[in-house]
Amino acid sequence: MLSSNFLGKRYMKKIVFMMITAVLLQACDDDFLTTNPTDTFTEETFWKTETHALAGINGTYAQLQVSNLYGSINVLLLEAISPNGYNYSNSAGVNFIAEGVHDASNSASINNRWNASYKGIGRANTVVGHIDAIKMDEGLKSRIKGEAKFLRALFYANLVNFYGGVPLILDVPNIDQGSLPRSSREEVVNQIVKDLNEASEVLPLRYTNTDIGRATKGAALALQARVLAYESRWGEAAAAAKQVIDLNVYSLFPDYRELFYLENEGNEEVIFDVQLKFPEFGSNFDIYLDRYNSLAPLQDLVDSYQMIDGKSISESTLYNADNPYENRDPRLQKTVIVPGSNFKGKIVKDDAYPFTGYGQKKYSVYKDNEVPAKVVNTGDSELNYIILRYADVLLLYAEAQNEASGPDKSVYEAINKVRARAGMPAIPEGLTQNEMREAIRLERRIELAGEGLYYDDIRRWKTAETVMNTEIVDRKGHVIGVRTFNPSRDYLWPIPSVALQENPNLEQNPGYNK
């Protein structure tokens, strides 16, 4: 039986997160305007009521749905800048990044993520800057401000992750902000942590009905754990992740494959996800993953899945090169479409996914043993993109605690919970800190494969210079591309050239030309 929370979530997706127009624009100062139109708003006429406050925060959430952040295949295509995936057509300029030929102007991913993130920051700042003056329920006011700070932190986390230090803007948008210099990475991260601390103090543990999907206390703490881990602030990261665990709100969904089913959205593992609903807020996940094969898993990823006995394919006696997908970690065929398996109610042919021999199953609405009732076209996909889920938090805790204190009992407990859900044996006892580090890194790669996070991991671990300077091959061993990574430059993206042109006070990241 579906819970009331679950039903509320599906209902909420039909009616909230509407876009607001002309809300965040600066007002005209012309004195001769003496009448107020009833069909448009300015800042002087808008920020007056509780309804306006809710519309403002909903408009901020709506920025998450844009294609340059989480509302399209672009977020998953980050896998194609890692050893996990391949994109045949240079969608959004990801191949330029993977091949190391990107610059400040030739990749849409680099240009658009900057703009989309600052647009979201502007909306969040507008809510924070105006809501105090509105006469409304004080509890709701405090919650909305907390939501805005969470979202501002999320947008800034995107920026600092890809570009490093950026202009730190906390006020309502104004023209002077266009000439601000970059703040240091540390300053931006400290503001993110501050925003998330303040958000976690006022946000609720759960929502009901139409509010399900908004930021919660757990979401603020989980994002804080991720940001701190990305900065190697291990003790703080472990503490933040432990707070999420100790809330006793989240648990692992029983089935790894069904975790990503449309009917299971908002399950007990989801901490924060982006609300998508066809036809209002659809995405293009399905058509790009399945019909276009735009994110094709690489053989390197497939080979990294262990055998069911917990050993690698090179170590286990269970591995059979003639039946390479048998007796493997069950997550392999719950993530990757392999030849000879069932998908969409039929056997997958050898040439079904031509670019690497594999397709990605995760984040498609199609199922293994069901013939789809219809073909999902562009914009029809509606599966929420999960930004934060509990398995990620458990692995962040295990990693941070291992780095801070070594592989204690709690580290084993966290990683083994994730493995047990997958049907895999526990990690062997008695590992050194370095051995546990490698086990956690492999577990993150497998558990989160296809979700767009491995590119972040190999950069923060400083392993990208090793794993990305190589040829990539398809299922049959044919070379299909060459990856290049310059460690003196490529751990950060360039500041987009348009941003540099518009703001002469911005400095470019090392190794890139203006």
Side-chain angles (χ1 to χ4, degrees):
M1 180 178 179
L2 295 176
S3 68
S4 59
N5 282 3
F6 181 82
L7 291 171
K9 179 159 193 157
R10 298 297 297 161
Y11 177 65
M12 179 209 56
K13 291 173 71 170
K14 297 181 181 179
I15 66 172
V16 302
F17 297 155
M18 60 280 198
M19 290 292 293
I20 58 173
T21 58
V23 170
L24 307 178
L25 300 176
Q26 291 296 315
C28 176
D29 292 328
D30 298 75
D31 293 335
F32 64 82
L33 295 179
T34 58
T35 60
N36 292 323
T38 59
D39 59 343
T40 60
F41 294 99
T42 66
E43 286 187 320
E44 282 75 14
T45 62
F46 185 80
W47 296 99
K48 302 296 182 182
T49 69
E50 181 176 296
T51 299
H52 294 161
L54 286 168
I57 193 62
N58 289 347
T60 310
Y61 278 105
Q63 185 61 15
L64 299 175
Q65 300 164 340
V66 302
S67 63
N68 301 313
L69 291 175
Y70 304 106
S72 80
I73 194 67
N74 289 354
V75 64
L76 304 183
L77 285 178
L78 293 172
E79 293 285 294
I81 322 175
S82 84
N84 284 359
Y86 171 70
N87 173 261
Y88 73 95
S89 61
N90 195 30
S91 300
V94 294
N95 285 2
F96 287 157
I97 304 173
E99 295 165 5
V101 298
H102 58 291
D103 58 32
S105 61
N106 69 356
S107 171
S109 292
I110 292 171
N111 295 329
N112 295 337
R113 187 172 290 268
W114 175 280
N115 294 332
S117 297
Y118 269 114
K119 189 171 184 179
I121 289 166
R123 293 185 180 192
N125 286 343
T126 302
V127 173
V128 173
H130 285 290
I131 195 170
D132 282 341
I134 298 177
K135 293 182 179 180
M136 57 181 291
D137 178 82
E138 290 299 319
L140 179 59
K141 178 187 291 187
S142 178
R143 191 203 81 190
I144 291 174
K145 189 184 291 188
E147 292 176 74
K149 289 182 177 181
F150 167 84
L151 292 171
R152 180 168 68 185
L154 178 57
F155 293 124
Y156 269 122
N158 262 288
L159 288 171
V160 79
N161 178 32
F162 291 101
Y163 307 98
V166 296
L168 184 59
I169 302 170
L170 303 176
D171 299 322
V172 173
N174 64 74
I175 195 169
D176 295 333
Q177 294 168 354
S179 59
L180 289 175
R182 298 174 67 174
S183 299
S184 70
R185 183 182 185 115
E186 183 180 17
E187 288 174 318
V188 179
V189 170
N190 286 341
Q191 181 61 48
I192 292 170
V193 173
K194 179 176 183 293
D195 273 348
L196 293 173
N197 277 332
E198 293 174 358
S200 69
E201 292 173 357
V202 298
L203 292 176
L205 289 176
R206 298 183 179 89
Y207 292 96
T208 59
N209 301 322
T210 60
D211 286 324
I212 296 173
R214 296 182 183 276
T216 60
K217 181 182 184 73
L221 293 171
L223 180 58
Q224 187 177 97
R226 176 181 288 175
V227 170
L228 291 167
Y230 280 21
E231 298 303 305
S232 300
R233 291 165 59 169
W234 299 118
E236 295 171 272
K242 186 65 163 57
Q243 287 186 73
V244 179
I245 295 168
D246 290 344
L247 292 177
N248 293 317
V249 171
Y250 309 103
S251 59
L252 296 175
F253 191 76
D255 188 280
Y256 181 79
R257 173 80 170 103
E258 295 180 9
L259 164 65
F260 295 94
Y261 279 5
L262 186 63
E263 60 265 32
N264 293 328
E265 284 183 337
N267 62 67
E268 60 266 32
E269 186 165 342
V270 176
I271 299 175
F272 186 73
D273 57 356
V274 177
Q275 305 295 298
L276 300 173
K277 179 69 173 70
F278 176 76
E280 297 93 337
F281 313 114
S283 77
N284 57 14
F285 289 171
D286 284 279
I287 193 168
Y288 277 93
L289 289 176
D290 186 56
R291 190 187 306 180
Y292 299 157
N293 195 203
S294 290
L295 179 55
L298 283 167
Q299 187 64 43
D300 189 79
L301 171 63
V302 173
D303 287 346
S304 70
Y305 284 84
Q306 294 176 330
M307 304 303 294
I308 198 68
D309 60 6
K311 298 179 180 179
S312 69
I313 61 173
S314 63
E315 298 171 327
S316 175
T317 59
L318 296 175
Y319 182 69
N320 181 351
D322 293 329
N323 293 291
Y325 316 119
E326 299 298 319
N327 297 314
R328 301 291 290 276
D329 183 326
R331 288 172 292 188
L332 171 56
Q333 293 199 45
K334 293 184 177 186
T335 303
V336 179
I337 307 166
V338 303
S341 65
N342 288 325
F343 188 59
K344 297 195 294 185
K346 59 184 179 182
I347 300 297
V348 178
K349 295 181 179 180
D350 189 68
D351 60 352
Y353 296 93
F355 301 113
T356 66
Y358 303 109
Q360 177 165 315
K361 187 177 294 185
K362 186 185 289 185
Y363 276 110
S364 168
V365 297
Y366 298 129
K367 298 182 180 179
D368 297 349
N369 299 314
E370 295 181 14
V371 177
K374 69 170 185 174
V375 175
V376 180
N377 294 308
T378 300
D380 288 6
S381 300
E382 56 182 347
L383 184 63
N384 291 351
Y385 177 75
I386 304 172
I387 295 179
L388 299 162
R389 62 182 177 95
Y390 189 56
D392 187 9
V393 170
L394 288 173
L395 294 177
L396 285 172
Y397 173 78
E399 180 183 3
Q401 184 67 10
N402 183 61
E403 295 296 337
S405 305
D408 61 26
K409 180 181 178 182
S410 68
V411 173
Y412 279 92
E413 288 177 348
I415 188 173
N416 285 335
K417 282 182 181 179
V418 177
R419 289 177 65 82
R421 188 265 298 275
M424 291 295 289
I427 295 293
E429 295 287 339
L431 296 187
T432 65
Q433 184 184 49
N434 186 61
E435 289 170 335
M436 179 60 81
R437 177 184 298 124
E438 294 306 311
I440 292 168
R441 289 181 177 184
L442 176 61
E443 195 65 25
R444 282 191 63 82
R445 183 181 189 184
I446 298 305
E447 174 67 23
L448 304 172
E451 298 178 39
L453 296 175
Y454 194 52
Y455 177 62
D456 294 345
D457 282 347
I458 62 174
R459 288 186 300 122
R460 68 186 180 90
W461 295 333
K462 296 297 186 285
T463 60
E465 60 202 72
T466 300
V467 300
M468 289 294 288
N469 279 309
T470 185
E471 295 177 335
I472 54 173
V473 300
D474 65 11
R475 182 172 62 87
K476 297 181 179 180
H478 301 143
V479 175
I480 58 174
V482 177
R483 299 284 176 76
T484 303
F485 191 94
N486 180 353
S488 66
R489 186 192 73 160
D490 294 343
Y491 281 109
L492 291 176
W493 286 357
I495 305 299
S497 59
V498 173
L500 294 169
Q501 292 166 10
E502 293 178 346
N503 181 359
N505 293 321
L506 288 181
E507 294 183 6
Q508 182 58 280
N509 279 325
Y512 297 103
N513 295 323
K514 283 197 173 186

